[in-house]
Amino acid sequence: MYWALHIASGLIVAVKKFKEGEDDEHVSSLKIKVRKTALWEIWILTDLKHPNIVNMIQVFRGEEKICLVFEYVEKTVLEQIDAHP
């Protein structure tokens, strides 16, 4: 996960990148698995709207990467659980 500035809105956003593999036979099966994971997450988050779930703002494909842009939050659920066991 990375954070970035969404220039159009001025908001700080979180960016999740899914790398695609190279074209050799061994990595290509991993490439398909990564794409399926990314597509599944995109499909779910497109329809899922809830106050306790971070909103997906945008999806785009860069060089050998599929990128998901989310609203930025200070702490993750795991960080909250660790802080308050």
Side-chain angles (χ1 to χ4, degrees):
M1 267 302 182
Y2 302 91
W3 68 270
L5 178 64
H6 189 260
I7 295 172
S9 67
L11 295 174
I12 295 175
V13 295
V15 181
K16 181 176 185 179
K17 295 181 180 183
F18 289 91
K19 292 183 183 178
E20 295 183 27
E22 298 173 5
D23 289 334
D24 66 52
E25 195 172 330
H26 174 63
V27 179
S28 66
S29 64
L30 177 61
K31 181 177 179 179
I32 292 168
K33 185 180 284 186
V34 170
R35 281 191 190 157
K36 284 182 181 178
T37 303
L39 292 174
W40 180 82
E41 188 168 342
I42 293 164
W43 178 71
I44 293 294
L45 291 171
T46 299
D47 292 333
L48 190 60
K49 303 295 179 210
H50 190 276
N52 295 334
I53 298 175
V54 176
N55 290 321
M56 185 176 63
I57 299 169
Q58 183 178 6
V59 177
F60 65 92
R61 186 174 185 168
E63 293 180 20
E64 299 181 6
K65 293 179 182 145
I66 297 172
C67 301
L68 282 62
V69 180
F70 296 93
E71 65 179 313
Y72 177 79
V73 293
E74 285 289 324
K75 294 186 178 188
T76 66
V77 171
L78 292 177
E79 290 172 337
Q80 291 292 338
I81 291 171
D82 286 343
H84 307 285

